Amino acid sequence: MGIAENITQIKKEIGSDVTLVAVSKYSSDRAVHEAYDAGHRHFGENKARDLKDRAAAMPDDIKWHFIGHLQRNKVKYIAPAVHCIHGVDSLRLLEEIEKRAGKVPRTVKCLLQLHIAEEETKFGLSEEEAEEILRSDEMAEFSHVRIIGLMGMATNTDDEEQIRREFKRLKTFFDKIQALTVTAEVPDDDDRAPSFPPNVEMRVLSMGMSADYKVAIEEGSNMVRIGSAVFKED
Ligand SMILES: *Cc1c(COP(=O)(O)O)cnc(C)c1O
């Protein structure tokens, strides 16, 4: 199977309600072009320079996702071209994104990364820290940053029950935050004020990679970041 077949197969499997981000970080320009020619438009990179260079070299209608750990001094490279930043894990990083996006000027979509893995090594915010950012005075002032959802990575393990538990926990938190946003569907007689400013939306839940995307979707993911299963060729 080639790249085009992989994409067709995965899209059939995940259904039309789930967005596939093809993670091209280990793939050649030729491979990305092949996916593009097959009609794919969402691609993910995890290095700021790679995203910048690829965005310059590839067609303009590609939506570039930054999926790695983003250092503040690298935000300037991706601000002009990035569609969505998945790994936001501090208010200071958001402040830098606001500043650099404002200089372009444009609005950059962001996902807060939650630490869901029971193992110690992964990046991300606790639920308390995420809520603190969303409720902060700074958040309400941002005009070039839009939070559109959450992202999380499960533990790298064969224990499917553990992976499921970790995804389930993130979905529960996502639902809780979504119910408190301006765009949540509240009954007419519910006059509680939303708890977050209008630039906080909860519509994207980015969880699932090649090894665990099926479990992630069963647990409520609507965006999967898939590298090896898309770009493998044999
Ligand atoms: C590399 C990477 C992926 C894709 O990994 P595969 O196992 O190749 O599907 C997804 N998300 C993040 C954050 C990554 O760094």
Side-chain angles (χ1 to χ4, degrees):
M1 290 226 297
I3 293 165
E5 287 89 348
N6 296 341
I7 289 176
T8 305
Q9 176 62 37
I10 293 170
K11 280 191 173 160
K12 210 166 90 189
E13 222 175 337
I14 67 179
S16 54
D17 294 340
V18 178
T19 302
L20 168 64
V21 177
V23 176
S24 47
K25 63 188 185 194
Y26 299 131
S27 304
S28 64
D29 288 354
R30 196 256 328 139
V32 178
H33 272 295
E34 206 170 314
Y36 181 85
D37 290 341
H40 198 68
R41 293 295 180 268
H42 290 266
F43 292 91
E45 291 287 338
N46 72 340
K47 298 221 164 62
R49 294 275 193 164
D50 291 350
L51 191 149
K52 176 179 188 272
D53 293 346
R54 282 221 152 128
M58 300 273 168
D60 280 346
D61 61 341
I62 291 183
K63 293 184 168 23
W64 292 102
H65 295 250
F66 188 87
I67 59 163
H69 184 68
L70 182 57
Q71 290 168 288
R72 281 186 300 134
N73 62 357
K74 303 281 172 64
V75 173
K76 57 179 179 287
Y77 299 125
I78 66 169
V82 72
H83 171 70
C84 180
I85 300 176
H86 287 229
V88 174
D89 63 356
S90 74
L91 190 55
R92 290 180 76 207
L93 179 57
L94 277 178
E95 285 168 346
E96 181 66 13
I97 298 168
E98 167 72 16
K99 178 174 143 196
R100 297 293 174 176
K103 284 193 175 164
V104 178
R106 59 193 296 261
T107 300
V108 171
K109 299 182 175 72
C110 296
L111 304 176
L112 292 187
Q113 182 170 0
L114 273 284
H115 180 279
I116 58 168
E118 292 165 9
E119 66 185 354
E120 288 290 320
T121 55
K122 298 264 160 59
F123 294 105
L125 300 157
S126 67
E127 294 179 2
E128 294 71 26
E129 290 166 337
E131 280 205 56
E132 206 171 294
I133 290 175
L134 297 177
R135 286 183 206 282
S136 66
D137 295 341
E138 289 89 341
M139 186 69 234
E141 295 293 318
F142 292 150
S143 53
H144 301 94
V145 164
R146 193 162 193 88
I147 304 284
I148 61 162
L150 305 177
M151 179 269 207
M153 287 169 84
T155 304
N156 184 5
T157 171
D158 291 334
D159 183 349
E160 190 183 306
E161 283 318 303
Q162 180 179 348
I163 293 170
R164 194 175 290 285
R165 192 162 66 231
E166 293 173 357
F167 285 149
K168 211 185 270 292
R169 179 151 176 232
L170 182 55
K171 176 62 160 67
T172 303
F173 182 66
F174 178 84
D175 288 344
K176 174 186 152 188
I177 299 296
Q178 189 181 55
L180 298 170
T181 60
V182 174
T183 49
E185 284 185 31
V186 288
D188 283 344
D189 58 356
D190 187 337
D191 53 9
R192 281 174 305 173
S195 301
F196 305 115
N199 56 359
V200 172
E201 289 174 77
M202 279 293 130
R203 31 188 193 88
V204 174
L205 181 55
S206 166
M207 54 184 200
M209 316 181 13
S210 294
D212 57 19
Y213 70 89
K214 287 168 203 160
V215 178
I217 291 168
E218 284 167 12
E219 297 306 330
S221 166
N222 60 15
M223 186 173 280
V224 290
R225 311 173 310 273
I226 302 184
S228 37
V230 166
F231 289 104
K232 68 173 190 281
E233 294 175 87
D234 44 43

